Amino acid sequence: MDKLLTVTVDGEVLKFPFVWLRDNCLCEQCFHPTAKSRVYWSDLHLKIKPKEITEGKDSIQVTWEDGHKSNFEYNWLKIRNFTPESQRKYDEVIYKPTKITWHGEEFNDICSKHDYNQIVKTDEALYNWLYKLSVYGVAIVKNTPNSENAIDAIIDRVAFIKRSHYGVKFVVQHISNTNNLAYLSNNLQMHTDLPYYEYGPGINILHCFVQTVSKGGENLLVDGHYIAKYIKKNHPEEYKLLTEVDIEWNDMGTEDGREFFKLYRAPIITLDKYGEVQRINFSVPQRSSHFLTPIENIEPWYRAYSLFLQLCHKFAGKFKSEQGDILVFDNIRLIHSRNGYVDNENNVRKLIGAYIDWDEIYCKLRCLTMKLGYNKGFN
Ligand code: OGA
Ligand code: ZN
Ligand code: ZN
C-alpha cells in the first residue's frame, strides 16, 4: 500500500503508483509542453516515495525524496484512474469506438448516408461519417459532384490516400486484357482488397462515377466480425482452422509498366492477443496455390473455408450504388463482392477508387472528439 498515492476526487477514492506518478511528472524538465512528450527517462527509482504531499484546491503537489516537485491536477488524475470501468470509458470515448456487428438483413438500418458537401464543410458531419464507419464498418456518402477527382476533397478532410501498386487512385472499369479480375464486368467474387499486403489498407473508397443501367453491378457486403462470432460459437473446429492456418495471398502482374509480385501469409481470420478479430483476409481470386501447411490440414481447411464462403453470402447485405454515391467501408472487416454487369456503347460502368488507413481515420476522430467537445472530460 505504501507504493500508492491515495486521493479523493469528487467523492471517489483513486489510487496511483508512485513510480507511475514520478514517470509522468508534467514539469517542463520532465515533459516537453509543446511536443507533449516525455523527456525525462533516466534514473527512475522503482521504489521512489514522496517526501511530502500537499493537497491544493485543483491539484496535488508531490515533493519527491530528492526534492523534485510534481504537480497533478485532480481531473488529469481522474481520467487516468486505474479501475477497469474508468479504463473502459477511456477506450470508448478516446481510443476507438466499440464496433457493433450486423447481419445482412440489418444492412439498410446500419448503413448510414452522409452528404458530401456537409462533410466538406462541417466538422460535425465529418465526425458523424467517420464515427459510423468505425462502428459499423460501412457508411455511404451521397451527392458527390460528378468529377473524377471528387473523392480528393473528402479524403483531404480526413488525411491522405494510401497508395498501392494500382496507383494513388484506381479506376474500376471493364478492360479485357486486365491485370486484375475487378477490372472485368464479370461477377467479382468475395474478397477483401489487397490481402497480399502486410500493411493492408484499412478503408476502401469507391466513388460511383457511372453505374450500369444493365442488371447487375450491385455489391454484396458482409460483416466478417459477425461471421467470425458465428463460426466461433457454432463451429469451433472450423474456427481454429480459419484462425490458425496461414494462407498465402498473392498478386502478380504489371501496372503502368512496373512489375509487381506481392505475397503475404495470414489466416483468413487474424486474432489479436486478446483473441479478438484483428483483420479479415479473404479473396477467392488472390489466394495462392502454394499452401504451406501439413498435408493433413488441407481437407479440413477446405471444409472450413467453404463454410466461411457460404456464410459470406448468407449474411451479406446488398447495395447498388448510384451515380454520386461513395461506398466507404472497412476493408479489414467487411468482405465484398460485385455482381456481373453488361456495358454498352452509351453506358460504361466506372468507379474511382482509393484507400485510407485506419490510423488516419482514428486520428481524425480523436482530433474531432477534442475539437467538438465530445471528449466527456477526457482533456
Ligand atoms: C474492387 C471492387 C467493386 C465494384 O475493385 O476491388 O470490389 O463494385 N469493386 O466494382
Ligand atoms: Zn518533473
Ligand atoms: Zn474490392
PDB file of all heavy atoms in Angstrom, residues 346-359:
ATOM      1  N   ASN A 346     -23.293   3.357 -74.844  1.00  0.00           N
ATOM      2  CA  ASN A 346     -23.670   4.629 -74.216  1.00  0.00           C
ATOM      3  C   ASN A 346     -23.555   4.598 -72.707  1.00  0.00           C
ATOM      4  O   ASN A 346     -23.827   5.605 -72.058  1.00  0.00           O
ATOM      5  CB  ASN A 346     -25.127   4.968 -74.560  1.00  0.00           C
ATOM      6  CG  ASN A 346     -25.355   4.906 -76.033  1.00  0.00           C
ATOM      7  OD1 ASN A 346     -24.536   5.446 -76.788  1.00  0.00           O
ATOM      8  ND2 ASN A 346     -26.404   4.222 -76.457  1.00  0.00           N
ATOM      9  N   ASN A 347     -23.229   3.454 -72.180  1.00  0.00           N
ATOM     10  CA  ASN A 347     -23.198   3.351 -70.721  1.00  0.00           C
ATOM     11  C   ASN A 347     -22.071   2.409 -70.299  1.00  0.00           C
ATOM     12  O   ASN A 347     -22.176   1.198 -70.446  1.00  0.00           O
ATOM     13  CB  ASN A 347     -24.555   2.843 -70.207  1.00  0.00           C
ATOM     14  CG  ASN A 347     -24.548   2.688 -68.703  1.00  0.00           C
ATOM     15  OD1 ASN A 347     -24.311   1.615 -68.181  1.00  0.00           O
ATOM     16  ND2 ASN A 347     -24.784   3.783 -67.992  1.00  0.00           N
ATOM     17  N   VAL A 348     -21.014   3.011 -69.817  1.00  0.00           N
ATOM     18  CA  VAL A 348     -19.848   2.235 -69.385  1.00  0.00           C
ATOM     19  C   VAL A 348     -19.663   2.457 -67.886  1.00  0.00           C
ATOM     20  O   VAL A 348     -19.417   3.581 -67.445  1.00  0.00           O
ATOM     21  CB  VAL A 348     -18.584   2.674 -70.171  1.00  0.00           C
ATOM     22  CG1 VAL A 348     -17.340   1.962 -69.649  1.00  0.00           C
ATOM     23  CG2 VAL A 348     -18.755   2.410 -71.665  1.00  0.00           C
ATOM     24  N   ARG A 349     -19.878   1.364 -67.149  1.00  0.00           N
ATOM     25  CA  ARG A 349     -19.764   1.480 -65.671  1.00  0.00           C
ATOM     26  C   ARG A 349     -18.349   1.915 -65.295  1.00  0.00           C
ATOM     27  O   ARG A 349     -17.371   1.397 -65.828  1.00  0.00           O
ATOM     28  CB  ARG A 349     -20.070   0.131 -65.029  1.00  0.00           C
ATOM     29  CG  ARG A 349     -20.161   0.147 -63.505  1.00  0.00           C
ATOM     30  CD  ARG A 349     -20.469  -1.266 -63.019  1.00  0.00           C
ATOM     31  NE  ARG A 349     -20.808  -1.343 -61.602  1.00  0.00           N
ATOM     32  CZ  ARG A 349     -19.919  -1.574 -60.643  1.00  0.00           C
ATOM     33  NH1 ARG A 349     -18.639  -1.691 -60.937  1.00  0.00           N
ATOM     34  NH2 ARG A 349     -20.310  -1.671 -59.385  1.00  0.00           N
ATOM     35  N   LYS A 350     -18.266   2.859 -64.332  1.00  0.00           N
ATOM     36  CA  LYS A 350     -16.948   3.366 -63.957  1.00  0.00           C
ATOM     37  C   LYS A 350     -16.943   3.815 -62.494  1.00  0.00           C
ATOM     38  O   LYS A 350     -17.759   4.649 -62.093  1.00  0.00           O
ATOM     39  CB  LYS A 350     -16.610   4.561 -64.864  1.00  0.00           C
ATOM     40  CG  LYS A 350     -15.231   5.144 -64.614  1.00  0.00           C
ATOM     41  CD  LYS A 350     -14.915   6.185 -65.674  1.00  0.00           C
ATOM     42  CE  LYS A 350     -13.497   6.645 -65.596  1.00  0.00           C
ATOM     43  NZ  LYS A 350     -13.145   7.578 -66.658  1.00  0.00           N
ATOM     44  N   LEU A 351     -16.030   3.248 -61.739  1.00  0.00           N
ATOM     45  CA  LEU A 351     -15.853   3.662 -60.337  1.00  0.00           C
ATOM     46  C   LEU A 351     -14.450   4.242 -60.188  1.00  0.00           C
ATOM     47  O   LEU A 351     -13.522   3.791 -60.860  1.00  0.00           O
ATOM     48  CB  LEU A 351     -15.978   2.487 -59.372  1.00  0.00           C
ATOM     49  CG  LEU A 351     -17.184   1.546 -59.447  1.00  0.00           C
ATOM     50  CD1 LEU A 351     -17.120   0.543 -58.299  1.00  0.00           C
ATOM     51  CD2 LEU A 351     -18.496   2.298 -59.386  1.00  0.00           C
ATOM     52  N   ILE A 352     -14.332   5.211 -59.286  1.00  0.00           N
ATOM     53  CA  ILE A 352     -12.997   5.734 -58.941  1.00  0.00           C
ATOM     54  C   ILE A 352     -12.722   5.279 -57.506  1.00  0.00           C
ATOM     55  O   ILE A 352     -13.522   5.536 -56.603  1.00  0.00           O
ATOM     56  CB  ILE A 352     -12.945   7.286 -58.992  1.00  0.00           C
ATOM     57  CG1 ILE A 352     -13.566   7.833 -60.286  1.00  0.00           C
ATOM     58  CG2 ILE A 352     -11.515   7.789 -58.775  1.00  0.00           C
ATOM     59  CD1 ILE A 352     -12.808   7.543 -61.546  1.00  0.00           C
ATOM     60  N   GLY A 353     -11.591   4.611 -57.325  1.00  0.00           N
ATOM     61  CA  GLY A 353     -11.296   4.050 -56.006  1.00  0.00           C
ATOM     62  C   GLY A 353     -10.036   4.608 -55.388  1.00  0.00           C
ATOM     63  O   GLY A 353      -9.144   5.119 -56.078  1.00  0.00           O
ATOM     64  N   ALA A 354      -9.975   4.500 -54.070  1.00  0.00           N
ATOM     65  CA  ALA A 354      -8.770   4.888 -53.318  1.00  0.00           C
ATOM     66  C   ALA A 354      -8.855   4.226 -51.943  1.00  0.00           C
ATOM     67  O   ALA A 354      -9.902   3.685 -51.564  1.00  0.00           O
ATOM     68  CB  ALA A 354      -8.674   6.401 -53.182  1.00  0.00           C
ATOM     69  N   TYR A 355      -7.762   4.281 -51.219  1.00  0.00           N
ATOM     70  CA  TYR A 355      -7.713   3.700 -49.868  1.00  0.00           C
ATOM     71  C   TYR A 355      -7.230   4.736 -48.859  1.00  0.00           C
ATOM     72  O   TYR A 355      -6.491   5.653 -49.208  1.00  0.00           O
ATOM     73  CB  TYR A 355      -6.734   2.519 -49.819  1.00  0.00           C
ATOM     74  CG  TYR A 355      -7.037   1.417 -50.799  1.00  0.00           C
ATOM     75  CD1 TYR A 355      -6.208   1.207 -51.908  1.00  0.00           C
ATOM     76  CD2 TYR A 355      -8.138   0.592 -50.624  1.00  0.00           C
ATOM     77  CE1 TYR A 355      -6.480   0.184 -52.819  1.00  0.00           C
ATOM     78  CE2 TYR A 355      -8.411  -0.429 -51.528  1.00  0.00           C
ATOM     79  CZ  TYR A 355      -7.580  -0.625 -52.623  1.00  0.00           C
ATOM     80  OH  TYR A 355      -7.856  -1.628 -53.516  1.00  0.00           O
ATOM     81  N   ILE A 356      -7.654   4.546 -47.622  1.00  0.00           N
ATOM     82  CA  ILE A 356      -7.087   5.302 -46.490  1.00  0.00           C
ATOM     83  C   ILE A 356      -6.774   4.286 -45.391  1.00  0.00           C
ATOM     84  O   ILE A 356      -7.373   3.208 -45.348  1.00  0.00           O
ATOM     85  CB  ILE A 356      -8.060   6.342 -45.873  1.00  0.00           C
ATOM     86  CG1 ILE A 356      -8.825   7.142 -46.921  1.00  0.00           C
ATOM     87  CG2 ILE A 356      -7.329   7.310 -44.963  1.00  0.00           C
ATOM     88  CD1 ILE A 356      -9.691   8.245 -46.319  1.00  0.00           C
ATOM     89  N   ASP A 357      -5.876   4.646 -44.503  1.00  0.00           N
ATOM     90  CA  ASP A 357      -5.540   3.772 -43.380  1.00  0.00           C
ATOM     91  C   ASP A 357      -6.406   4.054 -42.160  1.00  0.00           C
ATOM     92  O   ASP A 357      -6.779   5.207 -41.910  1.00  0.00           O
ATOM     93  CB  ASP A 357      -4.076   3.991 -42.975  1.00  0.00           C
ATOM     94  CG  ASP A 357      -3.154   3.094 -43.766  1.00  0.00           C
ATOM     95  OD1 ASP A 357      -3.598   2.011 -44.189  1.00  0.00           O
ATOM     96  OD2 ASP A 357      -1.999   3.488 -43.962  1.00  0.00           O
ATOM     97  N   TRP A 358      -6.644   3.009 -41.382  1.00  0.00           N
ATOM     98  CA  TRP A 358      -7.391   3.192 -40.130  1.00  0.00           C
ATOM     99  C   TRP A 358      -6.668   4.128 -39.167  1.00  0.00           C
ATOM    100  O   TRP A 358      -7.307   4.854 -38.403  1.00  0.00           O
ATOM    101  CB  TRP A 358      -7.665   1.848 -39.457  1.00  0.00           C
ATOM    102  CG  TRP A 358      -8.969   1.289 -39.924  1.00  0.00           C
ATOM    103  CD1 TRP A 358      -9.165   0.201 -40.712  1.00  0.00           C
ATOM    104  CD2 TRP A 358     -10.273   1.843 -39.661  1.00  0.00           C
ATOM    105  NE1 TRP A 358     -10.510   0.040 -40.962  1.00  0.00           N
ATOM    106  CE2 TRP A 358     -11.212   1.031 -40.325  1.00  0.00           C
ATOM    107  CE3 TRP A 358     -10.729   2.951 -38.951  1.00  0.00           C
ATOM    108  CZ2 TRP A 358     -12.580   1.291 -40.282  1.00  0.00           C
ATOM    109  CZ3 TRP A 358     -12.094   3.217 -38.909  1.00  0.00           C
ATOM    110  CH2 TRP A 358     -13.002   2.385 -39.571  1.00  0.00           C
ATOM    111  N   ASP A 359      -5.353   4.117 -39.193  1.00  0.00           N
ATOM    112  CA  ASP A 359      -4.605   5.041 -38.315  1.00  0.00           C
ATOM    113  C   ASP A 359      -5.071   6.477 -38.526  1.00  0.00           C
ATOM    114  O   ASP A 359      -5.208   7.244 -37.577  1.00  0.00           O
ATOM    115  CB  ASP A 359      -3.101   4.979 -38.634  1.00  0.00           C
ATOM    116  CG  ASP A 359      -2.455   3.736 -38.070  1.00  0.00           C
ATOM    117  OD1 ASP A 359      -2.903   3.255 -37.018  1.00  0.00           O
ATOM    118  OD2 ASP A 359      -1.490   3.243 -38.691  1.00  0.00           O
TER     119      ASP A 359
END
